[in-house]
């Protein structure tokens, strides 16, 4: 059953500082997000061998390029695009081969983009880089298919620090087994990766496994507000953010699964400049 939209606090409408309201909103998040030490993902240490296995693949990463459009939530901020293959002043730096950067302006409340090309539903990985440049709420909610279902990997929600997958068994990222906390710094790039295989949905931040959820034991869905991002999309909430280097690879390594990716060069995700 689709989780319906719930009332949310419009922080911008109150004449207090952002820091006060970030603290207030985080205080309302279920305590499961903070039962661990800060910066600790819910993925258990004993799962490290599985995570190591999941990270290995001989299939090349391929850019998802050329078929992105604005998501049209209503109240969207401006979406701009630019190429950024070379760092200013000629300094060398590893960056994704696509070279396309998306700037998502501050919406009321959401701004995002969606992929209109072919996309896989099973046995694939998706990765990208994102950063928040202004504001304090989620700078990337990455929506992707899980078979015939979908979910969103939310980074920095509910006031700026909540991380989790929305939704699992009808519970969104603030109130399920993936709920956790991370201190995201503005203007710092973060590597984000999501993997859908036959058994699990697994997500990483900066190559650290953050959550892994067994598919056979749970159902997946997205909050109704995120529908404009289907089938694959990235959105922010009342902040300004940037997204770059969106790439895909098939775990099966079949030509059909790679139909949406037309470039063949292997790429390496960039570090934080």
């Amino acid at each position: 059953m689709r989780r319906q939209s719930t009332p949310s606090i419009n922080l911008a409408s109150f004449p207090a500082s952002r820091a006060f309201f970030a603290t207030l909103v985080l205080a309302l998040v279920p305590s499961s997000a903070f039962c661990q030490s800060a910066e600790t993902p819910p993925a258990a240490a004993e799962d490290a061998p599985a995570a190591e296995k999941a990270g290995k693949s001989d299939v090349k990463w391929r850019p998802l390029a050329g078929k992105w459009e604005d998501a049209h939530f209503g109240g969207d901020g401006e979406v701009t695009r630019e190429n950024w293959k070379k760092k200013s002043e000629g300094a060398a730096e590893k960056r994704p081969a696509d070279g396309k950067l998306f700037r998502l302006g501050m919406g009321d409340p959401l701004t995002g983009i969606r992929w209109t090309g072919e996309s896989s539903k099973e046995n694939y990985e998706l990765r990208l880089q994102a950063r928040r440049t202004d504001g304090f709420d989620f700078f990337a909610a990455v929506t992707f298919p899980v078979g015939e279902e979908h979910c969103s990997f939310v980074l920095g929600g509910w006031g700026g620090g909540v991380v989790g997958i929305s939704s699992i068994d009808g519970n969104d990222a603030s109130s399920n087994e993936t709920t956790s906390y991370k201190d995201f710094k503005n203007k710092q790039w973060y590597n984000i990766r999501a993997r859908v295989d036959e058994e699990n949905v697994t997500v990483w931040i900066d190559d650290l496994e953050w959550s892994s959820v067994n598919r056979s034991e749970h159902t997946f869905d997205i909050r109704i507000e995120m529908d404009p991002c289907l089938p694959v999309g990235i959105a922010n909430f009342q902040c300004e953010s940037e997204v770059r280097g969106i790439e895909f690879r098939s775990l099966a390594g079949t030509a059909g699964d790679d139909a949406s990716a037309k470039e063949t060069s292997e790429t390496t995700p960039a570090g934080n400049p």
Side-chain angles (χ1 to χ4, degrees):
M1 180 179 296
R2 172 61 56 82
R3 182 182 179 90
Q4 296 299 314
S5 174
T6 55
S8 60
I9 299 173
N10 185 352
L11 303 179
S13 66
F14 293 88
S17 68
R18 286 182 171 180
F20 170 80
F21 280 102
T23 303
L24 174 62
V25 175
L26 288 174
L28 297 176
V29 176
S31 60
S32 60
F34 304 97
C35 62
Q36 309 165 60
S37 60
E39 303 286 329
T40 302
E46 55 266 25
D47 292 337
E52 183 177 326
K53 180 180 179 182
K56 294 182 178 180
S57 174
D58 294 330
V59 181
K60 293 181 179 180
W61 288 98
R62 300 168 184 265
L64 284 183
K67 294 185 178 180
W68 292 96
E69 67 176 26
D70 296 3
H72 302 300
F73 293 98
D76 306 66
E78 183 181 11
V79 177
T80 59
R81 300 158 171 81
E82 69 176 57
N83 292 318
W84 46 269
K85 287 184 180 180
K86 295 182 179 179
K87 188 176 179 180
S88 59
E89 300 179 358
E93 181 180 342
K94 291 183 179 180
R95 296 194 169 188
D98 176 15
K100 183 68 68 176
L101 180 144
F102 296 89
R103 286 195 171 94
L104 308 182
M106 186 174 297
D108 185 19
L110 293 158
T111 304
I113 55 176
R114 63 181 291 268
W115 175 251
T116 62
E118 296 182 38
S119 60
S120 295
K121 298 180 179 180
E122 299 278 2
N123 294 314
Y124 70 91
E125 287 187 327
L126 180 70
R127 75 177 180 184
L128 59 118
Q129 291 184 306
R131 68 177 178 179
R132 184 170 51 216
T133 56
D134 190 27
F136 57 87
D137 217 286
F138 72 72
F139 60 97
V142 183
T143 297
F144 54 91
V146 182
E148 297 303 318
E149 302 172 317
H150 290 80
C151 67
S152 300
F153 183 32
V154 181
L155 296 95
W158 287 269
V162 173
V163 180
I165 296 174
S166 284
S167 295
I168 299 174
D169 302 326
N171 299 310
D172 65 29
S174 70
S175 57
N176 63 43
E177 66 185 74
T178 68
T179 307
S180 57
Y181 178 83
K182 181 174 175 62
D183 181 18
F184 292 102
K185 300 183 184 302
N186 283 6
K187 299 183 180 180
Q188 177 171 320
W189 288 104
Y190 294 92
N191 296 313
I192 303 164
R193 179 158 61 110
R195 175 189 177 101
V196 177
D197 59 34
E198 295 177 357
E199 297 182 356
N200 302 304
V201 174
T202 307
V203 291
W204 289 261
I205 301 175
D206 287 340
D207 297 323
L208 177 64
E209 182 180 313
W210 208 259
S211 297
S212 188
V213 182
N214 187 279
R215 294 177 59 180
S216 66
E217 299 173 357
H218 301 281
T219 61
F220 297 85
D221 200 356
I222 59 174
R223 290 180 61 108
I224 195 169
E225 301 96 323
M226 301 305 296
D227 279 1
C229 270
L230 294 173
V232 177
I234 304 107
N236 69 16
F237 185 94
Q238 290 187 334
C239 72
E240 297 179 0
S241 62
E242 296 177 342
V243 178
R244 69 187 186 187
I246 309 170
E247 297 177 329
F248 161 90
R249 69 177 172 186
S250 169
L251 301 179
T254 63
D257 285 337
D258 289 338
S260 62
K262 296 184 178 180
E263 295 186 43
T264 58
S265 60
E266 187 169 10
T267 59
T268 303
N272 291 313

